[in-house]
Amino acid sequence: MAFKVRLLRQLEQVDPASREAFLSLLEVLEEQFQRLEDQVTKAEFNELRAIVAELAEAQKQTQAEVRALAEAQRRSEGRLDRLEAIVAELAEAQKRTEERMGAEFERVWGAINELTQAQKRTEAQVAELVEAQKRTEERMSAEFGRVWGAINELTQAQKRTEERMSAEFERVWGAINELTQAQKRTEAQVAELAEAQKRTEAQVAELAEAEKQTQAEVRALAEAQRRSEGRLDRLEATVAELAEAQKQTQAEVRALAEAQRRSEGRLDRLEATVAELVEAQKQTQAEVRALAEAQRRSEGRLDRLEATVVELVEAQKRTEEELRQLVEEHRLTRERVEGVSNAVGYTLEDRAMRALPALLRQEGIEVEGELVRQYVRVGDRKRQVNIFGYGRRNGQRVLILGEAKVRPSKKEVDRFLKLAAFLEEQEGLPAVLLFVAYDFRPEMEAYLHEKNIRPIWSYKLPL
């Protein structure tokens, strides 16, 4: 304002035409400065710096939230690692259980088959025994009924256990698959968040650079203003110099106008960049909130999955307890089957030992002494020979060896042949081989004749 008053005082001393031209120039300059003041003010730059500061603060909060989310993610991964370890241990325990159950079931079915064979042998024996043996059969039949009932109950319990375990495994694997998908989406969102963070940092750097350039242009404008004041001072000395200065001033005004237009372009770009930065910040905050929500859902699923795994552990314990009970009951069943089989076998052996001397005599073999049940040592074990004794055939001493079975199998015959060959070599005598049984299948009877073993039916033995 002081500069304008001094200039007017000096213009009063020049001719009216020149004064009018200088007044027009002053009006143009005043409009240009007014427009510059209207467009670029310190308050606006302060407001812009405040916005940038708020954005920087919001960015710090975003980074803090991202670090918190990363920490939560690490905890989730730790829980997943522990959960995977538990699931692996459960899978290994399940394999061991299935292996044990498979072995136990094979033994149970073997016992059931033996029990079935024993039942058939018992029925054949009962047909030949006296009324007292019939009463024994009734007691055995009642005992077998209880055994079959127990086996059926075990079979149903095993089916229910397998169904429960199958359903639990399906739920666990479904939960693990869902957790895997959520983890992949979380990783993708974190990657997008990192990319947005890089773009935000680049935009802030550009904003700082634009601020520096704007400050430099303002300083240049102030310097130009100081130079204009110097030229106006020189105008007071001479009108001729004032005309020359006028030309220079017009050139500078044009340059100033061009600089102003460039400043306006930069400010437009800066405002657009700030607007984009604000929008990107909003999107970043929205993504962070979505990521936090996804993290909470993941933790909820983890909690549910951990509860399911605990239930699965309990179910595994119950399965192992049921398996232990099954093993115990199987042991009792085997003991009962062995008791029944032994009772039937010993009865048949006793009858054979009493009747065989007379039967062998009919074939030209005279028994020496008594036929006995004998234990012999084979290697480091003792084996029982059901029928053992000596006799003479055509004046030659022979070894009498026999086996008593309810219904012999090829495996039992082959085992008897190996034992007989060992005893022949040990005694140095030829052996007469006998096989006493309640029942011989046709192919088994033919196999015995092929191996020079005499099959003796139980009905040929007197009661």
PDB file of all heavy atoms in Angstrom, residues 133-168:
ATOM      1  N   GLN A 133     -23.864-137.219  28.439  1.00  0.00           N
ATOM      2  CA  GLN A 133     -23.175-136.315  27.535  1.00  0.00           C
ATOM      3  C   GLN A 133     -24.141-135.298  26.945  1.00  0.00           C
ATOM      4  O   GLN A 133     -23.776-134.171  26.633  1.00  0.00           O
ATOM      5  CB  GLN A 133     -22.503-137.110  26.420  1.00  0.00           C
ATOM      6  CG  GLN A 133     -21.580-136.276  25.535  1.00  0.00           C
ATOM      7  CD  GLN A 133     -20.389-135.731  26.281  1.00  0.00           C
ATOM      8  OE1 GLN A 133     -19.987-136.320  27.282  1.00  0.00           O
ATOM      9  NE2 GLN A 133     -19.847-134.629  25.836  1.00  0.00           N
ATOM     10  N   LYS A 134     -25.446-135.712  26.760  1.00  0.00           N
ATOM     11  CA  LYS A 134     -26.454-134.775  26.260  1.00  0.00           C
ATOM     12  C   LYS A 134     -26.654-133.608  27.224  1.00  0.00           C
ATOM     13  O   LYS A 134     -26.812-132.461  26.809  1.00  0.00           O
ATOM     14  CB  LYS A 134     -27.780-135.489  26.035  1.00  0.00           C
ATOM     15  CG  LYS A 134     -27.751-136.484  24.882  1.00  0.00           C
ATOM     16  CD  LYS A 134     -29.126-137.117  24.689  1.00  0.00           C
ATOM     17  CE  LYS A 134     -29.089-138.110  23.530  1.00  0.00           C
ATOM     18  NZ  LYS A 134     -30.406-138.758  23.310  1.00  0.00           N
ATOM     19  N   ARG A 135     -26.671-133.936  28.543  1.00  0.00           N
ATOM     20  CA  ARG A 135     -26.810-132.833  29.515  1.00  0.00           C
ATOM     21  C   ARG A 135     -25.609-131.882  29.425  1.00  0.00           C
ATOM     22  O   ARG A 135     -25.751-130.660  29.513  1.00  0.00           O
ATOM     23  CB  ARG A 135     -26.936-133.402  30.933  1.00  0.00           C
ATOM     24  CG  ARG A 135     -28.242-134.169  31.173  1.00  0.00           C
ATOM     25  CD  ARG A 135     -28.431-134.404  32.655  1.00  0.00           C
ATOM     26  NE  ARG A 135     -27.387-135.278  33.199  1.00  0.00           N
ATOM     27  CZ  ARG A 135     -27.461-136.620  33.235  1.00  0.00           C
ATOM     28  NH1 ARG A 135     -28.530-137.240  32.745  1.00  0.00           N
ATOM     29  NH2 ARG A 135     -26.483-137.335  33.746  1.00  0.00           N
ATOM     30  N   THR A 136     -24.426-132.422  29.198  1.00  0.00           N
ATOM     31  CA  THR A 136     -23.231-131.580  29.007  1.00  0.00           C
ATOM     32  C   THR A 136     -23.383-130.689  27.779  1.00  0.00           C
ATOM     33  O   THR A 136     -23.020-129.517  27.758  1.00  0.00           O
ATOM     34  CB  THR A 136     -21.987-132.460  28.862  1.00  0.00           C
ATOM     35  OG1 THR A 136     -21.857-133.281  30.023  1.00  0.00           O
ATOM     36  CG2 THR A 136     -20.729-131.600  28.675  1.00  0.00           C
ATOM     37  N   GLU A 137     -23.967-131.272  26.704  1.00  0.00           N
ATOM     38  CA  GLU A 137     -24.192-130.493  25.478  1.00  0.00           C
ATOM     39  C   GLU A 137     -25.117-129.318  25.740  1.00  0.00           C
ATOM     40  O   GLU A 137     -24.911-128.213  25.217  1.00  0.00           O
ATOM     41  CB  GLU A 137     -24.793-131.382  24.402  1.00  0.00           C
ATOM     42  CG  GLU A 137     -25.075-130.641  23.096  1.00  0.00           C
ATOM     43  CD  GLU A 137     -26.091-131.351  22.233  1.00  0.00           C
ATOM     44  OE1 GLU A 137     -26.527-132.453  22.608  1.00  0.00           O
ATOM     45  OE2 GLU A 137     -26.436-130.774  21.205  1.00  0.00           O
ATOM     46  N   GLU A 138     -26.171-129.533  26.563  1.00  0.00           N
ATOM     47  CA  GLU A 138     -27.108-128.447  26.851  1.00  0.00           C
ATOM     48  C   GLU A 138     -26.389-127.302  27.573  1.00  0.00           C
ATOM     49  O   GLU A 138     -26.587-126.132  27.259  1.00  0.00           O
ATOM     50  CB  GLU A 138     -28.274-128.965  27.688  1.00  0.00           C
ATOM     51  CG  GLU A 138     -29.171-129.945  26.928  1.00  0.00           C
ATOM     52  CD  GLU A 138     -30.234-130.575  27.822  1.00  0.00           C
ATOM     53  OE1 GLU A 138     -30.190-130.317  29.030  1.00  0.00           O
ATOM     54  OE2 GLU A 138     -31.097-131.293  27.305  1.00  0.00           O
ATOM     55  N   ARG A 139     -25.545-127.650  28.530  1.00  0.00           N
ATOM     56  CA  ARG A 139     -24.798-126.598  29.233  1.00  0.00           C
ATOM     57  C   ARG A 139     -23.850-125.874  28.276  1.00  0.00           C
ATOM     58  O   ARG A 139     -23.724-124.642  28.296  1.00  0.00           O
ATOM     59  CB  ARG A 139     -24.001-127.209  30.395  1.00  0.00           C
ATOM     60  CG  ARG A 139     -24.877-127.724  31.529  1.00  0.00           C
ATOM     61  CD  ARG A 139     -24.043-127.964  32.777  1.00  0.00           C
ATOM     62  NE  ARG A 139     -23.000-128.970  32.570  1.00  0.00           N
ATOM     63  CZ  ARG A 139     -23.172-130.281  32.739  1.00  0.00           C
ATOM     64  NH1 ARG A 139     -24.359-130.742  33.119  1.00  0.00           N
ATOM     65  NH2 ARG A 139     -22.179-131.117  32.537  1.00  0.00           N
ATOM     66  N   MET A 140     -23.193-126.604  27.391  1.00  0.00           N
ATOM     67  CA  MET A 140     -22.289-125.992  26.415  1.00  0.00           C
ATOM     68  C   MET A 140     -23.050-125.113  25.438  1.00  0.00           C
ATOM     69  O   MET A 140     -22.592-124.038  25.046  1.00  0.00           O
ATOM     70  CB  MET A 140     -21.519-127.074  25.659  1.00  0.00           C
ATOM     71  CG  MET A 140     -20.486-127.793  26.513  1.00  0.00           C
ATOM     72  SD  MET A 140     -19.737-129.165  25.632  1.00  0.00           S
ATOM     73  CE  MET A 140     -18.910-128.286  24.349  1.00  0.00           C
ATOM     74  N   SER A 141     -24.279-125.591  25.029  1.00  0.00           N
ATOM     75  CA  SER A 141     -25.079-124.789  24.094  1.00  0.00           C
ATOM     76  C   SER A 141     -25.460-123.454  24.713  1.00  0.00           C
ATOM     77  O   SER A 141     -25.409-122.399  24.069  1.00  0.00           O
ATOM     78  CB  SER A 141     -26.332-125.558  23.693  1.00  0.00           C
ATOM     79  OG  SER A 141     -27.141-124.789  22.828  1.00  0.00           O
ATOM     80  N   ALA A 142     -25.850-123.485  26.018  1.00  0.00           N
ATOM     81  CA  ALA A 142     -26.183-122.228  26.700  1.00  0.00           C
ATOM     82  C   ALA A 142     -24.963-121.313  26.764  1.00  0.00           C
ATOM     83  O   ALA A 142     -25.059-120.095  26.551  1.00  0.00           O
ATOM     84  CB  ALA A 142     -26.716-122.526  28.108  1.00  0.00           C
ATOM     85  N   GLU A 143     -23.796-121.904  27.010  1.00  0.00           N
ATOM     86  CA  GLU A 143     -22.570-121.095  27.082  1.00  0.00           C
ATOM     87  C   GLU A 143     -22.251-120.465  25.733  1.00  0.00           C
ATOM     88  O   GLU A 143     -21.908-119.297  25.623  1.00  0.00           O
ATOM     89  CB  GLU A 143     -21.416-121.984  27.546  1.00  0.00           C
ATOM     90  CG  GLU A 143     -20.094-121.231  27.743  1.00  0.00           C
ATOM     91  CD  GLU A 143     -20.179-120.273  28.912  1.00  0.00           C
ATOM     92  OE1 GLU A 143     -21.008-120.489  29.812  1.00  0.00           O
ATOM     93  OE2 GLU A 143     -19.400-119.297  28.897  1.00  0.00           O
ATOM     94  N   PHE A 144     -22.416-121.243  24.644  1.00  0.00           N
ATOM     95  CA  PHE A 144     -22.177-120.709  23.298  1.00  0.00           C
ATOM     96  C   PHE A 144     -23.150-119.592  22.971  1.00  0.00           C
ATOM     97  O   PHE A 144     -22.820-118.640  22.276  1.00  0.00           O
ATOM     98  CB  PHE A 144     -22.293-121.801  22.247  1.00  0.00           C
ATOM     99  CG  PHE A 144     -21.075-122.694  22.196  1.00  0.00           C
ATOM    100  CD1 PHE A 144     -21.199-124.075  22.179  1.00  0.00           C
ATOM    101  CD2 PHE A 144     -19.807-122.144  22.194  1.00  0.00           C
ATOM    102  CE1 PHE A 144     -20.087-124.873  22.141  1.00  0.00           C
ATOM    103  CE2 PHE A 144     -18.697-122.944  22.149  1.00  0.00           C
ATOM    104  CZ  PHE A 144     -18.817-124.319  22.128  1.00  0.00           C
ATOM    105  N   GLY A 145     -24.406-119.706  23.441  1.00  0.00           N
ATOM    106  CA  GLY A 145     -25.379-118.637  23.189  1.00  0.00           C
ATOM    107  C   GLY A 145     -24.915-117.319  23.783  1.00  0.00           C
ATOM    108  O   GLY A 145     -25.013-116.259  23.160  1.00  0.00           O
ATOM    109  N   ARG A 146     -24.382-117.395  25.020  1.00  0.00           N
ATOM    110  CA  ARG A 146     -23.883-116.169  25.646  1.00  0.00           C
ATOM    111  C   ARG A 146     -22.670-115.614  24.888  1.00  0.00           C
ATOM    112  O   ARG A 146     -22.524-114.412  24.716  1.00  0.00           O
ATOM    113  CB  ARG A 146     -23.511-116.435  27.110  1.00  0.00           C
ATOM    114  CG  ARG A 146     -24.722-116.648  28.010  1.00  0.00           C
ATOM    115  CD  ARG A 146     -24.321-116.593  29.469  1.00  0.00           C
ATOM    116  NE  ARG A 146     -23.430-117.714  29.839  1.00  0.00           N
ATOM    117  CZ  ARG A 146     -23.858-118.919  30.225  1.00  0.00           C
ATOM    118  NH1 ARG A 146     -25.148-119.180  30.287  1.00  0.00           N
ATOM    119  NH2 ARG A 146     -23.008-119.869  30.554  1.00  0.00           N
ATOM    120  N   VAL A 147     -21.810-116.513  24.402  1.00  0.00           N
ATOM    121  CA  VAL A 147     -20.635-116.067  23.640  1.00  0.00           C
ATOM    122  C   VAL A 147     -21.058-115.372  22.350  1.00  0.00           C
ATOM    123  O   VAL A 147     -20.577-114.313  21.995  1.00  0.00           O
ATOM    124  CB  VAL A 147     -19.710-117.257  23.331  1.00  0.00           C
ATOM    125  CG1 VAL A 147     -18.622-116.843  22.328  1.00  0.00           C
ATOM    126  CG2 VAL A 147     -19.062-117.752  24.618  1.00  0.00           C
ATOM    127  N   TRP A 148     -22.012-115.981  21.634  1.00  0.00           N
ATOM    128  CA  TRP A 148     -22.489-115.356  20.395  1.00  0.00           C
ATOM    129  C   TRP A 148     -23.146-114.010  20.677  1.00  0.00           C
ATOM    130  O   TRP A 148     -23.001-113.064  19.901  1.00  0.00           O
ATOM    131  CB  TRP A 148     -23.477-116.284  19.690  1.00  0.00           C
ATOM    132  CG  TRP A 148     -22.805-117.340  18.876  1.00  0.00           C
ATOM    133  CD1 TRP A 148     -22.752-118.664  19.111  1.00  0.00           C
ATOM    134  CD2 TRP A 148     -22.033-117.140  17.691  1.00  0.00           C
ATOM    135  NE1 TRP A 148     -22.019-119.308  18.162  1.00  0.00           N
ATOM    136  CE2 TRP A 148     -21.558-118.392  17.270  1.00  0.00           C
ATOM    137  CE3 TRP A 148     -21.687-116.011  16.932  1.00  0.00           C
ATOM    138  CZ2 TRP A 148     -20.785-118.565  16.141  1.00  0.00           C
ATOM    139  CZ3 TRP A 148     -20.913-116.180  15.812  1.00  0.00           C
ATOM    140  CH2 TRP A 148     -20.460-117.446  15.426  1.00  0.00           C
ATOM    141  N   GLY A 149     -23.897-113.941  21.764  1.00  0.00           N
ATOM    142  CA  GLY A 149     -24.514-112.648  22.115  1.00  0.00           C
ATOM    143  C   GLY A 149     -23.467-111.582  22.367  1.00  0.00           C
ATOM    144  O   GLY A 149     -23.593-110.447  21.902  1.00  0.00           O
ATOM    145  N   ALA A 150     -22.410-111.975  23.093  1.00  0.00           N
ATOM    146  CA  ALA A 150     -21.331-111.007  23.369  1.00  0.00           C
ATOM    147  C   ALA A 150     -20.640-110.580  22.083  1.00  0.00           C
ATOM    148  O   ALA A 150     -20.324-109.410  21.874  1.00  0.00           O
ATOM    149  CB  ALA A 150     -20.323-111.620  24.336  1.00  0.00           C
ATOM    150  N   ILE A 151     -20.413-111.524  21.172  1.00  0.00           N
ATOM    151  CA  ILE A 151     -19.764-111.192  19.895  1.00  0.00           C
ATOM    152  C   ILE A 151     -20.631-110.259  19.075  1.00  0.00           C
ATOM    153  O   ILE A 151     -20.164-109.298  18.463  1.00  0.00           O
ATOM    154  CB  ILE A 151     -19.444-112.483  19.124  1.00  0.00           C
ATOM    155  CG1 ILE A 151     -18.318-113.251  19.843  1.00  0.00           C
ATOM    156  CG2 ILE A 151     -19.018-112.170  17.691  1.00  0.00           C
ATOM    157  CD1 ILE A 151     -18.037-114.601  19.263  1.00  0.00           C
ATOM    158  N   ASN A 152     -21.944-110.506  19.025  1.00  0.00           N
ATOM    159  CA  ASN A 152     -22.845-109.617  18.275  1.00  0.00           C
ATOM    160  C   ASN A 152     -22.843-108.207  18.861  1.00  0.00           C
ATOM    161  O   ASN A 152     -22.836-107.215  18.141  1.00  0.00           O
ATOM    162  CB  ASN A 152     -24.265-110.182  18.280  1.00  0.00           C
ATOM    163  CG  ASN A 152     -24.388-111.433  17.406  1.00  0.00           C
ATOM    164  OD1 ASN A 152     -23.650-111.552  16.418  1.00  0.00           O
ATOM    165  ND2 ASN A 152     -25.267-112.353  17.746  1.00  0.00           N
ATOM    166  N   GLU A 153     -22.857-108.113  20.203  1.00  0.00           N
ATOM    167  CA  GLU A 153     -22.822-106.795  20.833  1.00  0.00           C
ATOM    168  C   GLU A 153     -21.526-106.071  20.492  1.00  0.00           C
ATOM    169  O   GLU A 153     -21.521-104.872  20.217  1.00  0.00           O
ATOM    170  CB  GLU A 153     -22.964-106.934  22.350  1.00  0.00           C
ATOM    171  CG  GLU A 153     -24.354-107.397  22.791  1.00  0.00           C
ATOM    172  CD  GLU A 153     -24.434-107.596  24.305  1.00  0.00           C
ATOM    173  OE1 GLU A 153     -23.424-107.383  24.980  1.00  0.00           O
ATOM    174  OE2 GLU A 153     -25.517-107.950  24.781  1.00  0.00           O
ATOM    175  N   LEU A 154     -20.393-106.799  20.512  1.00  0.00           N
ATOM    176  CA  LEU A 154     -19.115-106.181  20.145  1.00  0.00           C
ATOM    177  C   LEU A 154     -19.127-105.699  18.700  1.00  0.00           C
ATOM    178  O   LEU A 154     -18.611-104.632  18.377  1.00  0.00           O
ATOM    179  CB  LEU A 154     -17.975-107.194  20.338  1.00  0.00           C
ATOM    180  CG  LEU A 154     -17.568-107.467  21.792  1.00  0.00           C
ATOM    181  CD1 LEU A 154     -16.550-108.591  21.833  1.00  0.00           C
ATOM    182  CD2 LEU A 154     -17.024-106.222  22.445  1.00  0.00           C
ATOM    183  N   THR A 155     -19.730-106.485  17.811  1.00  0.00           N
ATOM    184  CA  THR A 155     -19.795-106.085  16.393  1.00  0.00           C
ATOM    185  C   THR A 155     -20.592-104.795  16.219  1.00  0.00           C
ATOM    186  O   THR A 155     -20.187-103.878  15.513  1.00  0.00           O
ATOM    187  CB  THR A 155     -20.432-107.204  15.565  1.00  0.00           C
ATOM    188  OG1 THR A 155     -19.646-108.398  15.733  1.00  0.00           O
ATOM    189  CG2 THR A 155     -20.445-106.835  14.088  1.00  0.00           C
ATOM    190  N   GLN A 156     -21.760-104.703  16.887  1.00  0.00           N
ATOM    191  CA  GLN A 156     -22.568-103.481  16.789  1.00  0.00           C
ATOM    192  C   GLN A 156     -21.845-102.284  17.382  1.00  0.00           C
ATOM    193  O   GLN A 156     -21.871-101.181  16.822  1.00  0.00           O
ATOM    194  CB  GLN A 156     -23.917-103.701  17.514  1.00  0.00           C
ATOM    195  CG  GLN A 156     -24.798-104.748  16.869  1.00  0.00           C
ATOM    196  CD  GLN A 156     -25.175-104.391  15.441  1.00  0.00           C
ATOM    197  OE1 GLN A 156     -25.384-103.210  15.153  1.00  0.00           O
ATOM    198  NE2 GLN A 156     -25.232-105.373  14.560  1.00  0.00           N
ATOM    199  N   ALA A 157     -21.168-102.477  18.527  1.00  0.00           N
ATOM    200  CA  ALA A 157     -20.433-101.367  19.150  1.00  0.00           C
ATOM    201  C   ALA A 157     -19.316-100.882  18.245  1.00  0.00           C
ATOM    202  O   ALA A 157     -19.064 -99.690  18.125  1.00  0.00           O
ATOM    203  CB  ALA A 157     -19.876-101.813  20.503  1.00  0.00           C
ATOM    204  N   GLN A 158     -18.634-101.829  17.573  1.00  0.00           N
ATOM    205  CA  GLN A 158     -17.559-101.438  16.658  1.00  0.00           C
ATOM    206  C   GLN A 158     -18.095-100.630  15.487  1.00  0.00           C
ATOM    207  O   GLN A 158     -17.500 -99.649  15.043  1.00  0.00           O
ATOM    208  CB  GLN A 158     -16.836-102.686  16.163  1.00  0.00           C
ATOM    209  CG  GLN A 158     -15.710-102.379  15.192  1.00  0.00           C
ATOM    210  CD  GLN A 158     -14.643-101.506  15.812  1.00  0.00           C
ATOM    211  OE1 GLN A 158     -14.491-101.516  17.020  1.00  0.00           O
ATOM    212  NE2 GLN A 158     -13.937-100.725  15.012  1.00  0.00           N
ATOM    213  N   LYS A 159     -19.272-101.037  14.924  1.00  0.00           N
ATOM    214  CA  LYS A 159     -19.867-100.288  13.807  1.00  0.00           C
ATOM    215  C   LYS A 159     -20.220 -98.866  14.249  1.00  0.00           C
ATOM    216  O   LYS A 159     -19.975 -97.906  13.529  1.00  0.00           O
ATOM    217  CB  LYS A 159     -21.124-100.999  13.313  1.00  0.00           C
ATOM    218  CG  LYS A 159     -20.828-102.297  12.562  1.00  0.00           C
ATOM    219  CD  LYS A 159     -22.119-102.957  12.076  1.00  0.00           C
ATOM    220  CE  LYS A 159     -21.811-104.246  11.304  1.00  0.00           C
ATOM    221  NZ  LYS A 159     -23.053-104.905  10.857  1.00  0.00           N
ATOM    222  N   ARG A 160     -20.805 -98.738  15.437  1.00  0.00           N
ATOM    223  CA  ARG A 160     -21.134 -97.385  15.912  1.00  0.00           C
ATOM    224  C   ARG A 160     -19.877 -96.546  16.097  1.00  0.00           C
ATOM    225  O   ARG A 160     -19.856 -95.359  15.772  1.00  0.00           O
ATOM    226  CB  ARG A 160     -21.911 -97.476  17.235  1.00  0.00           C
ATOM    227  CG  ARG A 160     -23.318 -98.075  17.093  1.00  0.00           C
ATOM    228  CD  ARG A 160     -24.126 -97.863  18.365  1.00  0.00           C
ATOM    229  NE  ARG A 160     -23.542 -98.530  19.531  1.00  0.00           N
ATOM    230  CZ  ARG A 160     -23.814 -99.796  19.876  1.00  0.00           C
ATOM    231  NH1 ARG A 160     -24.672-100.527  19.159  1.00  0.00           N
ATOM    232  NH2 ARG A 160     -23.253-100.331  20.940  1.00  0.00           N
ATOM    233  N   THR A 161     -18.804 -97.148  16.629  1.00  0.00           N
ATOM    234  CA  THR A 161     -17.551 -96.415  16.818  1.00  0.00           C
ATOM    235  C   THR A 161     -16.993 -95.938  15.482  1.00  0.00           C
ATOM    236  O   THR A 161     -16.567 -94.796  15.330  1.00  0.00           O
ATOM    237  CB  THR A 161     -16.524 -97.325  17.513  1.00  0.00           C
ATOM    238  OG1 THR A 161     -17.055 -97.688  18.791  1.00  0.00           O
ATOM    239  CG2 THR A 161     -15.203 -96.567  17.703  1.00  0.00           C
ATOM    240  N   GLU A 162     -16.997 -96.806  14.452  1.00  0.00           N
ATOM    241  CA  GLU A 162     -16.490 -96.415  13.137  1.00  0.00           C
ATOM    242  C   GLU A 162     -17.320 -95.293  12.545  1.00  0.00           C
ATOM    243  O   GLU A 162     -16.788 -94.361  11.929  1.00  0.00           O
ATOM    244  CB  GLU A 162     -16.500 -97.618  12.212  1.00  0.00           C
ATOM    245  CG  GLU A 162     -15.442 -98.675  12.599  1.00  0.00           C
ATOM    246  CD  GLU A 162     -15.545 -99.896  11.700  1.00  0.00           C
ATOM    247  OE1 GLU A 162     -16.505 -99.947  10.915  1.00  0.00           O
ATOM    248  OE2 GLU A 162     -14.651-100.761  11.794  1.00  0.00           O
ATOM    249  N   GLU A 163     -18.681 -95.343  12.708  1.00  0.00           N
ATOM    250  CA  GLU A 163     -19.526 -94.277  12.166  1.00  0.00           C
ATOM    251  C   GLU A 163     -19.231 -92.948  12.846  1.00  0.00           C
ATOM    252  O   GLU A 163     -19.117 -91.910  12.184  1.00  0.00           O
ATOM    253  CB  GLU A 163     -20.999 -94.649  12.353  1.00  0.00           C
ATOM    254  CG  GLU A 163     -21.438 -95.829  11.490  1.00  0.00           C
ATOM    255  CD  GLU A 163     -22.856 -96.304  11.812  1.00  0.00           C
ATOM    256  OE1 GLU A 163     -23.447 -95.762  12.769  1.00  0.00           O
ATOM    257  OE2 GLU A 163     -23.354 -97.187  11.104  1.00  0.00           O
ATOM    258  N   ARG A 164     -19.084 -92.968  14.189  1.00  0.00           N
ATOM    259  CA  ARG A 164     -18.778 -91.713  14.885  1.00  0.00           C
ATOM    260  C   ARG A 164     -17.419 -91.162  14.458  1.00  0.00           C
ATOM    261  O   ARG A 164     -17.273 -89.970  14.203  1.00  0.00           O
ATOM    262  CB  ARG A 164     -18.774 -91.937  16.406  1.00  0.00           C
ATOM    263  CG  ARG A 164     -20.152 -92.226  17.008  1.00  0.00           C
ATOM    264  CD  ARG A 164     -20.124 -92.032  18.513  1.00  0.00           C
ATOM    265  NE  ARG A 164     -19.124 -92.865  19.152  1.00  0.00           N
ATOM    266  CZ  ARG A 164     -19.369 -94.089  19.613  1.00  0.00           C
ATOM    267  NH1 ARG A 164     -20.563 -94.638  19.470  1.00  0.00           N
ATOM    268  NH2 ARG A 164     -18.412 -94.780  20.190  1.00  0.00           N
ATOM    269  N   MET A 165     -16.420 -92.023  14.369  1.00  0.00           N
ATOM    270  CA  MET A 165     -15.086 -91.552  13.981  1.00  0.00           C
ATOM    271  C   MET A 165     -15.090 -91.016  12.559  1.00  0.00           C
ATOM    272  O   MET A 165     -14.442 -90.027  12.254  1.00  0.00           O
ATOM    273  CB  MET A 165     -14.075 -92.691  14.137  1.00  0.00           C
ATOM    274  CG  MET A 165     -13.813 -93.093  15.572  1.00  0.00           C
ATOM    275  SD  MET A 165     -12.700 -94.499  15.706  1.00  0.00           S
ATOM    276  CE  MET A 165     -11.206 -93.749  15.120  1.00  0.00           C
ATOM    277  N   SER A 166     -15.827 -91.662  11.634  1.00  0.00           N
ATOM    278  CA  SER A 166     -15.903 -91.182  10.250  1.00  0.00           C
ATOM    279  C   SER A 166     -16.523 -89.799  10.197  1.00  0.00           C
ATOM    280  O   SER A 166     -16.027 -88.903   9.520  1.00  0.00           O
ATOM    281  CB  SER A 166     -16.716 -92.160   9.408  1.00  0.00           C
ATOM    282  OG  SER A 166     -16.842 -91.679   8.088  1.00  0.00           O
ATOM    283  N   ALA A 167     -17.644 -89.593  10.951  1.00  0.00           N
ATOM    284  CA  ALA A 167     -18.295 -88.273  10.945  1.00  0.00           C
ATOM    285  C   ALA A 167     -17.378 -87.208  11.528  1.00  0.00           C
ATOM    286  O   ALA A 167     -17.266 -86.099  11.002  1.00  0.00           O
ATOM    287  CB  ALA A 167     -19.609 -88.345  11.748  1.00  0.00           C
ATOM    288  N   GLU A 168     -16.644 -87.550  12.621  1.00  0.00           N
ATOM    289  CA  GLU A 168     -15.751 -86.568  13.241  1.00  0.00           C
ATOM    290  C   GLU A 168     -14.614 -86.188  12.291  1.00  0.00           C
ATOM    291  O   GLU A 168     -14.254 -85.025  12.169  1.00  0.00           O
ATOM    292  CB  GLU A 168     -15.179 -87.148  14.548  1.00  0.00           C
ATOM    293  CG  GLU A 168     -16.196 -87.302  15.675  1.00  0.00           C
ATOM    294  CD  GLU A 168     -16.751 -85.964  16.114  1.00  0.00           C
ATOM    295  OE1 GLU A 168     -16.030 -84.947  15.981  1.00  0.00           O
ATOM    296  OE2 GLU A 168     -17.898 -85.913  16.562  1.00  0.00           O
TER     297      GLU A 168
END
